[in-house]
Amino acid sequence: MATNNSGNLQNTGIQSLNSSGVFNGRTITAGTGISMADGDGISGNPTITCTVSGGGSIITKYTSSDTWTPDASAKMVLLILWGGGGGGGSGRKGLDGSTRGAGGGGGGGGFGFYFIEASRFSGAQTVTIGDGGTGGNSQTTNSTGGNDGSAGNNTSVGSFVVLGGDFGNGGTTSGGTGGAAVNSLINSQVVAEDGDGRTGGASTETPTQAAAVVVNMSPTGGGGGGGLDSSNNIGNGSAGGDFTDVASSVIVAGGTAGTSGAAGGAGNVPGTTVDFLNGGTGGGGGGGSTSTNAGGGGVGGSPGGGGGGGGASKDAVGNSGAGGNGGKGQAWIVEFL
């Protein structure tokens, strides 16, 4: 037979029935990180509210210099930095019967990846975005070597810095040397030396393509320009460095190589060709010419691609190709709240 325990019921509120058949009043209490209203259920339904903030993130992308003020609730900060790419060198303008070297491609800018406690930052921080280096000017004077490009500029957030890319040398009676690689950094540890520019062609030999970067966020270097040999045979430029996967499949291509008298193609910008986090690719080298102005080097893609080298030209006919400018750096800041 059922037992009627109604006499044991409390008048109001939350009740529990124990093993002896007795009802007892109960109250829901708040633990850490929550608040409670009407925990005993007398005045209304219990309401539980979470009082702990956090779990979100703030992403800010800088393409020009500015000031960043950390969010007061940030716990950790991720800095992703790219330096400006180096400018390519221009080609030589020279006589028939001589070897006329093309300009070397600029090196890709450095890459930095820093994951640090937000407490390392005190107040507003200066964000400096490194401009790409300027390509060497076209050579307009007969029997004169090409002009060097200029190095890319550093990118920094507060005291955290990555280097700009090295410049490409102008062509002489041999091809101009490509910009050397600069280090990539993860939490201040050197992890790679990527983004070297390609040496310009010394004669009709087409310089090899600038080195690819494999599954890394570093920018790539610019391609070297095409030179001329003593018989006025014409060399083509080389392509800028690709961004590839581990199977050597191209994810983001470098700038295209310039053929006879044609300019090298601009390096590519990540995001316009593929949804992937990586640096810009290098510009292609310009082609040499004996009948007109030589081709200029392509501009490096942003962030940080190296500029292509300019092609060589013949005296009294046309000017040498200018070096391409390096791609500008960037800074991405992710705050974890």
Side-chain angles (χ1 to χ4, degrees), residues 135-202:
N137 291 330
S138 169
Q139 185 53 259
T140 61
T141 303
N142 289 336
S143 302
T144 306
N147 296 297
D148 296 344
S150 64
N153 293 281
N154 300 344
T155 291
S156 62
V157 175
S159 61
F160 295 89
V161 183
V162 294
L163 300 178
D166 192 20
F167 62 88
N169 292 101
T172 58
T173 54
S174 61
T177 304
V182 296
N183 290 329
S184 294
L185 304 171
I186 293 183
N187 283 358
S188 299
Q189 300 298 311
V190 177
V191 294
E193 291 185 344
D194 296 311
D196 56 320
R198 188 53 47 196
T199 296

Short mmCIF file of all heavy atoms in Angstrom, two decimals, residues 135-202:
data_model
loop_
_atom_site.label_atom_id
_atom_site.label_comp_id
_atom_site.label_asym_id
_atom_site.label_seq_id
_atom_site.Cartn_x
_atom_site.Cartn_y
_atom_site.Cartn_z
N GLY A 135 64.00 48.24 -55.55
CA GLY A 135 64.80 47.62 -56.59
C GLY A 135 65.82 48.59 -57.17
O GLY A 135 65.61 49.81 -57.18
N GLY A 136 66.96 48.06 -57.62
CA GLY A 136 67.99 48.89 -58.23
C GLY A 136 67.49 49.58 -59.49
O GLY A 136 66.77 48.99 -60.30
N ASN A 137 67.86 50.85 -59.68
CA ASN A 137 67.41 51.60 -60.84
C ASN A 137 67.97 51.01 -62.13
O ASN A 137 69.08 50.48 -62.18
CB ASN A 137 67.85 53.06 -60.74
CG ASN A 137 67.13 53.82 -59.65
OD1 ASN A 137 65.97 53.51 -59.34
ND2 ASN A 137 67.79 54.80 -59.07
N SER A 138 67.18 51.14 -63.19
CA SER A 138 67.65 50.74 -64.52
C SER A 138 68.96 51.46 -64.86
O SER A 138 69.12 52.65 -64.56
CB SER A 138 66.56 51.10 -65.54
OG SER A 138 67.04 50.98 -66.85
N GLN A 139 69.88 50.72 -65.49
CA GLN A 139 71.13 51.35 -65.89
C GLN A 139 70.95 52.01 -67.27
O GLN A 139 70.60 51.36 -68.25
CB GLN A 139 72.26 50.31 -65.97
CG GLN A 139 73.63 50.90 -66.27
CD GLN A 139 73.99 52.02 -65.32
OE1 GLN A 139 73.88 53.21 -65.68
NE2 GLN A 139 74.39 51.68 -64.10
N THR A 140 71.17 53.32 -67.32
CA THR A 140 70.98 54.08 -68.56
C THR A 140 72.29 54.51 -69.21
O THR A 140 72.29 55.06 -70.30
CB THR A 140 70.13 55.34 -68.27
OG1 THR A 140 70.82 56.16 -67.32
CG2 THR A 140 68.76 54.96 -67.72
N THR A 141 73.42 54.26 -68.53
CA THR A 141 74.73 54.67 -69.03
C THR A 141 75.42 53.50 -69.71
O THR A 141 75.46 52.39 -69.16
CB THR A 141 75.61 55.18 -67.87
OG1 THR A 141 74.94 56.27 -67.22
CG2 THR A 141 76.96 55.66 -68.38
N ASN A 142 75.95 53.72 -70.91
CA ASN A 142 76.62 52.66 -71.64
C ASN A 142 77.78 52.07 -70.85
O ASN A 142 78.47 52.77 -70.09
CB ASN A 142 77.14 53.17 -72.99
CG ASN A 142 76.03 53.44 -73.98
OD1 ASN A 142 74.93 52.88 -73.88
ND2 ASN A 142 76.30 54.31 -74.95
N SER A 143 78.01 50.79 -71.08
CA SER A 143 79.15 50.06 -70.51
C SER A 143 79.28 50.25 -69.00
O SER A 143 80.36 50.50 -68.47
CB SER A 143 80.45 50.52 -71.20
OG SER A 143 80.39 50.29 -72.59
N THR A 144 78.15 50.10 -68.32
CA THR A 144 78.11 50.30 -66.87
C THR A 144 77.31 49.19 -66.20
O THR A 144 76.27 48.76 -66.71
CB THR A 144 77.48 51.66 -66.52
OG1 THR A 144 78.16 52.70 -67.23
CG2 THR A 144 77.56 51.94 -65.03
N GLY A 145 77.83 48.75 -65.05
CA GLY A 145 77.15 47.69 -64.31
C GLY A 145 75.82 48.16 -63.73
O GLY A 145 75.54 49.36 -63.61
N GLY A 146 75.01 47.18 -63.39
CA GLY A 146 73.70 47.48 -62.81
C GLY A 146 73.80 47.97 -61.38
O GLY A 146 74.86 47.94 -60.75
N ASN A 147 72.68 48.43 -60.87
CA ASN A 147 72.61 48.99 -59.51
C ASN A 147 72.04 47.96 -58.53
O ASN A 147 71.11 47.21 -58.85
CB ASN A 147 71.71 50.23 -59.51
CG ASN A 147 72.29 51.35 -60.35
OD1 ASN A 147 73.37 51.86 -60.05
ND2 ASN A 147 71.58 51.75 -61.40
N ASP A 148 72.61 47.97 -57.34
CA ASP A 148 72.10 47.09 -56.29
C ASP A 148 70.71 47.54 -55.84
O ASP A 148 70.38 48.73 -55.88
CB ASP A 148 73.02 47.14 -55.06
CG ASP A 148 74.41 46.60 -55.33
OD1 ASP A 148 74.60 45.91 -56.35
OD2 ASP A 148 75.30 46.86 -54.49
N GLY A 149 69.92 46.57 -55.40
CA GLY A 149 68.68 46.91 -54.70
C GLY A 149 69.00 47.31 -53.27
O GLY A 149 70.17 47.39 -52.86
N SER A 150 67.98 47.56 -52.48
CA SER A 150 68.19 47.86 -51.06
C SER A 150 67.50 46.80 -50.22
O SER A 150 66.54 46.15 -50.66
CB SER A 150 67.65 49.26 -50.71
OG SER A 150 66.25 49.33 -50.89
N ALA A 151 68.01 46.61 -49.01
CA ALA A 151 67.47 45.59 -48.12
C ALA A 151 66.06 45.97 -47.65
O ALA A 151 65.72 47.15 -47.53
CB ALA A 151 68.39 45.41 -46.92
N GLY A 152 65.26 44.94 -47.37
CA GLY A 152 63.96 45.18 -46.75
C GLY A 152 64.11 45.63 -45.31
O GLY A 152 65.16 45.43 -44.68
N ASN A 153 63.09 46.24 -44.78
CA ASN A 153 63.14 46.78 -43.42
C ASN A 153 62.53 45.81 -42.41
O ASN A 153 61.67 44.99 -42.74
CB ASN A 153 62.39 48.12 -43.38
CG ASN A 153 63.11 49.20 -44.17
OD1 ASN A 153 64.08 49.78 -43.71
ND2 ASN A 153 62.63 49.46 -45.38
N ASN A 154 62.99 45.94 -41.17
CA ASN A 154 62.54 45.05 -40.10
C ASN A 154 61.09 45.35 -39.71
O ASN A 154 60.62 46.49 -39.82
CB ASN A 154 63.41 45.22 -38.86
CG ASN A 154 64.86 44.89 -39.11
OD1 ASN A 154 65.21 44.26 -40.12
ND2 ASN A 154 65.73 45.31 -38.22
N THR A 155 60.41 44.31 -39.23
CA THR A 155 59.08 44.44 -38.65
C THR A 155 59.18 44.11 -37.16
O THR A 155 59.88 43.17 -36.78
CB THR A 155 58.09 43.50 -39.35
OG1 THR A 155 57.87 43.96 -40.69
CG2 THR A 155 56.75 43.45 -38.62
N SER A 156 58.47 44.87 -36.33
CA SER A 156 58.56 44.64 -34.89
C SER A 156 57.25 44.99 -34.19
O SER A 156 56.48 45.83 -34.65
CB SER A 156 59.70 45.46 -34.28
OG SER A 156 59.47 46.85 -34.45
N VAL A 157 57.04 44.32 -33.06
CA VAL A 157 55.99 44.68 -32.10
C VAL A 157 56.67 44.78 -30.75
O VAL A 157 57.17 43.79 -30.21
CB VAL A 157 54.87 43.63 -32.05
CG1 VAL A 157 53.86 43.98 -30.96
CG2 VAL A 157 54.17 43.52 -33.40
N GLY A 158 56.74 46.01 -30.21
CA GLY A 158 57.50 46.20 -28.99
C GLY A 158 58.94 45.80 -29.21
O GLY A 158 59.60 46.25 -30.15
N SER A 159 59.45 44.89 -28.38
CA SER A 159 60.83 44.45 -28.48
C SER A 159 61.02 43.20 -29.34
O SER A 159 62.13 42.71 -29.50
CB SER A 159 61.40 44.17 -27.08
OG SER A 159 60.66 43.14 -26.44
N PHE A 160 59.94 42.69 -29.93
CA PHE A 160 60.01 41.47 -30.74
C PHE A 160 60.19 41.87 -32.21
O PHE A 160 59.36 42.58 -32.78
CB PHE A 160 58.76 40.62 -30.55
CG PHE A 160 58.63 40.10 -29.15
CD1 PHE A 160 57.97 40.83 -28.18
CD2 PHE A 160 59.18 38.87 -28.81
CE1 PHE A 160 57.86 40.36 -26.88
CE2 PHE A 160 59.08 38.39 -27.51
CZ PHE A 160 58.42 39.13 -26.54
N VAL A 161 61.27 41.37 -32.83
CA VAL A 161 61.69 41.86 -34.14
C VAL A 161 61.98 40.70 -35.09
O VAL A 161 62.51 39.66 -34.67
CB VAL A 161 62.98 42.72 -34.01
CG1 VAL A 161 63.39 43.29 -35.36
CG2 VAL A 161 62.78 43.83 -32.98
N VAL A 162 61.64 40.89 -36.37
CA VAL A 162 62.13 40.01 -37.44
C VAL A 162 62.81 40.89 -38.49
O VAL A 162 62.44 42.06 -38.68
CB VAL A 162 61.03 39.16 -38.09
CG1 VAL A 162 60.46 38.16 -37.10
CG2 VAL A 162 59.93 40.02 -38.68
N LEU A 163 63.78 40.32 -39.18
CA LEU A 163 64.60 41.08 -40.11
C LEU A 163 63.97 41.20 -41.48
O LEU A 163 63.23 40.31 -41.92
CB LEU A 163 65.98 40.43 -40.25
CG LEU A 163 66.82 40.30 -38.98
CD1 LEU A 163 68.12 39.59 -39.30
CD2 LEU A 163 67.07 41.66 -38.36
N GLY A 164 64.32 42.30 -42.17
CA GLY A 164 63.98 42.44 -43.57
C GLY A 164 64.91 41.60 -44.44
O GLY A 164 65.98 41.17 -44.03
N GLY A 165 64.49 41.35 -45.69
CA GLY A 165 65.26 40.53 -46.61
C GLY A 165 66.49 41.23 -47.15
O GLY A 165 66.53 42.46 -47.26
N ASP A 166 67.48 40.44 -47.54
CA ASP A 166 68.72 40.95 -48.12
C ASP A 166 68.46 41.43 -49.55
O ASP A 166 67.55 40.96 -50.23
CB ASP A 166 69.77 39.85 -48.10
CG ASP A 166 71.17 40.35 -48.40
OD1 ASP A 166 71.42 41.56 -48.26
OD2 ASP A 166 72.01 39.52 -48.78
N PHE A 167 69.32 42.35 -50.03
CA PHE A 167 69.13 42.91 -51.38
C PHE A 167 69.84 42.07 -52.43
O PHE A 167 70.80 41.35 -52.16
CB PHE A 167 69.63 44.35 -51.43
CG PHE A 167 71.11 44.50 -51.16
CD1 PHE A 167 72.03 44.41 -52.20
CD2 PHE A 167 71.56 44.75 -49.88
CE1 PHE A 167 73.39 44.55 -51.95
CE2 PHE A 167 72.92 44.89 -49.62
CZ PHE A 167 73.84 44.79 -50.66
N GLY A 168 69.35 42.19 -53.68
CA GLY A 168 70.02 41.59 -54.81
C GLY A 168 71.04 42.56 -55.40
O GLY A 168 70.80 43.77 -55.46
N ASN A 169 72.19 42.03 -55.83
CA ASN A 169 73.23 42.87 -56.42
C ASN A 169 72.98 43.14 -57.89
O ASN A 169 72.37 42.33 -58.61
CB ASN A 169 74.60 42.20 -56.27
CG ASN A 169 75.05 42.13 -54.82
OD1 ASN A 169 74.93 41.09 -54.18
ND2 ASN A 169 75.56 43.22 -54.32
N GLY A 170 73.49 44.29 -58.37
CA GLY A 170 73.41 44.60 -59.78
C GLY A 170 74.34 43.73 -60.60
O GLY A 170 75.38 43.26 -60.12
N GLY A 171 73.98 43.52 -61.87
CA GLY A 171 74.81 42.73 -62.76
C GLY A 171 76.07 43.47 -63.18
O GLY A 171 76.06 44.70 -63.35
N THR A 172 77.15 42.73 -63.34
CA THR A 172 78.41 43.30 -63.83
C THR A 172 78.79 42.52 -65.09
O THR A 172 77.95 42.34 -65.96
CB THR A 172 79.50 43.20 -62.75
OG1 THR A 172 79.69 41.83 -62.38
CG2 THR A 172 79.10 44.00 -61.51
N THR A 173 80.04 42.09 -65.19
CA THR A 173 80.40 41.16 -66.27
C THR A 173 80.07 39.73 -65.87
O THR A 173 80.39 38.79 -66.59
CB THR A 173 81.90 41.29 -66.60
OG1 THR A 173 82.66 41.12 -65.40
CG2 THR A 173 82.19 42.65 -67.21
N SER A 174 79.44 39.60 -64.74
CA SER A 174 78.85 38.34 -64.30
C SER A 174 77.50 38.67 -63.66
O SER A 174 77.17 39.83 -63.44
CB SER A 174 79.77 37.62 -63.30
OG SER A 174 79.98 38.42 -62.16
N GLY A 175 76.74 37.64 -63.39
CA GLY A 175 75.42 37.88 -62.82
C GLY A 175 75.48 38.42 -61.40
O GLY A 175 76.35 38.03 -60.60
N GLY A 176 74.58 39.34 -61.08
CA GLY A 176 74.51 39.88 -59.72
C GLY A 176 74.06 38.82 -58.73
O GLY A 176 73.16 38.02 -59.01
N THR A 177 74.67 38.80 -57.57
CA THR A 177 74.35 37.81 -56.53
C THR A 177 72.98 38.08 -55.93
O THR A 177 72.63 39.23 -55.65
CB THR A 177 75.41 37.84 -55.42
OG1 THR A 177 76.69 37.63 -56.00
CG2 THR A 177 75.14 36.78 -54.38
N GLY A 178 72.22 37.02 -55.74
CA GLY A 178 70.92 37.16 -55.11
C GLY A 178 71.03 37.44 -53.63
O GLY A 178 72.04 37.14 -52.98
N GLY A 179 69.99 38.04 -53.06
CA GLY A 179 69.97 38.34 -51.64
C GLY A 179 70.03 37.08 -50.79
O GLY A 179 69.34 36.10 -51.07
N ALA A 180 70.87 37.10 -49.77
CA ALA A 180 71.03 35.93 -48.90
C ALA A 180 69.79 35.71 -48.04
O ALA A 180 69.03 36.64 -47.75
CB ALA A 180 72.25 36.12 -48.00
N ALA A 181 69.60 34.45 -47.62
CA ALA A 181 68.48 34.12 -46.75
C ALA A 181 68.66 34.75 -45.38
O ALA A 181 69.77 34.96 -44.91
CB ALA A 181 68.37 32.61 -46.61
N VAL A 182 67.54 35.07 -44.74
CA VAL A 182 67.56 35.53 -43.35
C VAL A 182 66.82 34.51 -42.50
O VAL A 182 65.99 33.75 -42.99
CB VAL A 182 66.93 36.93 -43.19
CG1 VAL A 182 67.74 37.97 -43.93
CG2 VAL A 182 65.49 36.95 -43.68
N ASN A 183 67.13 34.49 -41.23
CA ASN A 183 66.58 33.48 -40.34
C ASN A 183 65.09 33.67 -40.07
O ASN A 183 64.60 34.79 -39.98
CB ASN A 183 67.31 33.50 -39.00
CG ASN A 183 68.74 33.00 -39.10
OD1 ASN A 183 69.03 32.14 -39.94
ND2 ASN A 183 69.61 33.51 -38.27
N SER A 184 64.40 32.54 -39.94
CA SER A 184 63.06 32.54 -39.39
C SER A 184 63.16 32.15 -37.92
O SER A 184 64.04 31.40 -37.52
CB SER A 184 62.17 31.55 -40.14
OG SER A 184 61.97 31.97 -41.47
N LEU A 185 62.24 32.67 -37.12
CA LEU A 185 62.32 32.48 -35.67
C LEU A 185 61.00 31.98 -35.11
O LEU A 185 59.93 32.45 -35.52
CB LEU A 185 62.67 33.80 -34.97
CG LEU A 185 63.94 34.51 -35.41
CD1 LEU A 185 64.01 35.89 -34.76
CD2 LEU A 185 65.16 33.69 -35.01
N ILE A 186 61.06 31.01 -34.19
CA ILE A 186 59.90 30.61 -33.40
C ILE A 186 60.30 30.76 -31.95
O ILE A 186 61.21 30.08 -31.47
CB ILE A 186 59.46 29.17 -33.71
CG1 ILE A 186 58.92 29.10 -35.14
CG2 ILE A 186 58.39 28.72 -32.72
CD1 ILE A 186 58.38 27.74 -35.53
N ASN A 187 59.62 31.69 -31.26
CA ASN A 187 59.96 32.02 -29.87
C ASN A 187 61.46 32.24 -29.70
O ASN A 187 62.11 31.69 -28.81
CB ASN A 187 59.47 30.94 -28.91
CG ASN A 187 57.98 31.04 -28.68
OD1 ASN A 187 57.33 31.93 -29.19
ND2 ASN A 187 57.42 30.12 -27.92
N SER A 188 62.04 33.03 -30.63
CA SER A 188 63.44 33.46 -30.63
C SER A 188 64.43 32.36 -31.00
O SER A 188 65.63 32.58 -30.97
CB SER A 188 63.83 34.06 -29.27
OG SER A 188 63.03 35.20 -28.99
N GLN A 189 63.94 31.17 -31.34
CA GLN A 189 64.82 30.10 -31.77
C GLN A 189 64.87 30.03 -33.30
O GLN A 189 63.83 30.05 -33.95
CB GLN A 189 64.33 28.74 -31.22
CG GLN A 189 64.28 28.68 -29.70
CD GLN A 189 65.64 28.87 -29.06
OE1 GLN A 189 66.60 28.22 -29.44
NE2 GLN A 189 65.71 29.76 -28.09
N VAL A 190 66.08 29.94 -33.85
CA VAL A 190 66.23 29.86 -35.30
C VAL A 190 65.73 28.50 -35.78
O VAL A 190 66.16 27.46 -35.27
CB VAL A 190 67.70 30.05 -35.71
CG1 VAL A 190 67.85 29.87 -37.21
CG2 VAL A 190 68.20 31.42 -35.29
N VAL A 191 64.80 28.51 -36.73
CA VAL A 191 64.25 27.26 -37.23
C VAL A 191 64.52 27.03 -38.70
O VAL A 191 64.40 25.92 -39.20
CB VAL A 191 62.72 27.19 -37.00
CG1 VAL A 191 62.41 27.15 -35.53
CG2 VAL A 191 62.01 28.37 -37.65
N ALA A 192 64.87 28.06 -39.46
CA ALA A 192 65.09 27.87 -40.89
C ALA A 192 65.81 29.09 -41.45
O ALA A 192 65.81 30.16 -40.84
CB ALA A 192 63.76 27.69 -41.64
N GLU A 193 66.44 28.91 -42.59
CA GLU A 193 67.00 30.02 -43.34
C GLU A 193 66.40 29.96 -44.74
O GLU A 193 66.91 29.30 -45.63
CB GLU A 193 68.53 29.92 -43.39
CG GLU A 193 69.19 30.16 -42.04
CD GLU A 193 70.70 30.19 -42.12
OE1 GLU A 193 71.24 29.74 -43.14
OE2 GLU A 193 71.33 30.67 -41.17
N ASP A 194 65.29 30.62 -44.89
CA ASP A 194 64.52 30.54 -46.12
C ASP A 194 64.54 31.86 -46.87
O ASP A 194 64.98 32.88 -46.35
CB ASP A 194 63.07 30.16 -45.82
CG ASP A 194 62.95 28.78 -45.20
OD1 ASP A 194 63.52 27.83 -45.75
OD2 ASP A 194 62.27 28.67 -44.18
N GLY A 195 64.03 31.83 -48.10
CA GLY A 195 63.78 33.06 -48.82
C GLY A 195 64.97 33.65 -49.53
O GLY A 195 65.02 34.85 -49.77
N ASP A 196 65.99 32.83 -49.91
CA ASP A 196 67.14 33.39 -50.62
C ASP A 196 66.77 33.77 -52.04
O ASP A 196 66.06 33.06 -52.72
CB ASP A 196 68.32 32.42 -50.61
CG ASP A 196 67.99 31.06 -51.19
OD1 ASP A 196 66.88 30.57 -50.91
OD2 ASP A 196 68.82 30.49 -51.91
N GLY A 197 67.30 34.92 -52.49
CA GLY A 197 67.07 35.36 -53.86
C GLY A 197 67.99 34.62 -54.83
O GLY A 197 69.03 34.08 -54.43
N ARG A 198 67.63 34.63 -56.11
CA ARG A 198 68.41 33.91 -57.11
C ARG A 198 69.39 34.83 -57.81
O ARG A 198 69.06 35.96 -58.16
CB ARG A 198 67.45 33.26 -58.13
CG ARG A 198 68.11 32.33 -59.11
CD ARG A 198 68.95 31.26 -58.44
NE ARG A 198 68.28 30.61 -57.34
CZ ARG A 198 68.87 29.86 -56.43
NH1 ARG A 198 70.19 29.74 -56.45
NH2 ARG A 198 68.19 29.30 -55.47
N THR A 199 70.63 34.32 -58.02
CA THR A 199 71.66 35.09 -58.72
C THR A 199 71.25 35.31 -60.18
O THR A 199 70.73 34.40 -60.83
CB THR A 199 73.01 34.37 -58.65
OG1 THR A 199 73.41 34.32 -57.28
CG2 THR A 199 74.06 35.07 -59.47
N GLY A 200 71.49 36.52 -60.67
CA GLY A 200 71.14 36.84 -62.05
C GLY A 200 71.99 36.09 -63.06
O GLY A 200 73.11 35.67 -62.77
N GLY A 201 71.46 35.90 -64.27
CA GLY A 201 72.19 35.21 -65.32
C GLY A 201 73.40 36.02 -65.77
O GLY A 201 73.33 37.23 -65.93
N ALA A 202 74.53 35.30 -66.00
CA ALA A 202 75.74 35.98 -66.44
C ALA A 202 75.77 36.14 -67.95
O ALA A 202 76.43 37.02 -68.48
CB ALA A 202 76.97 35.21 -65.99
#
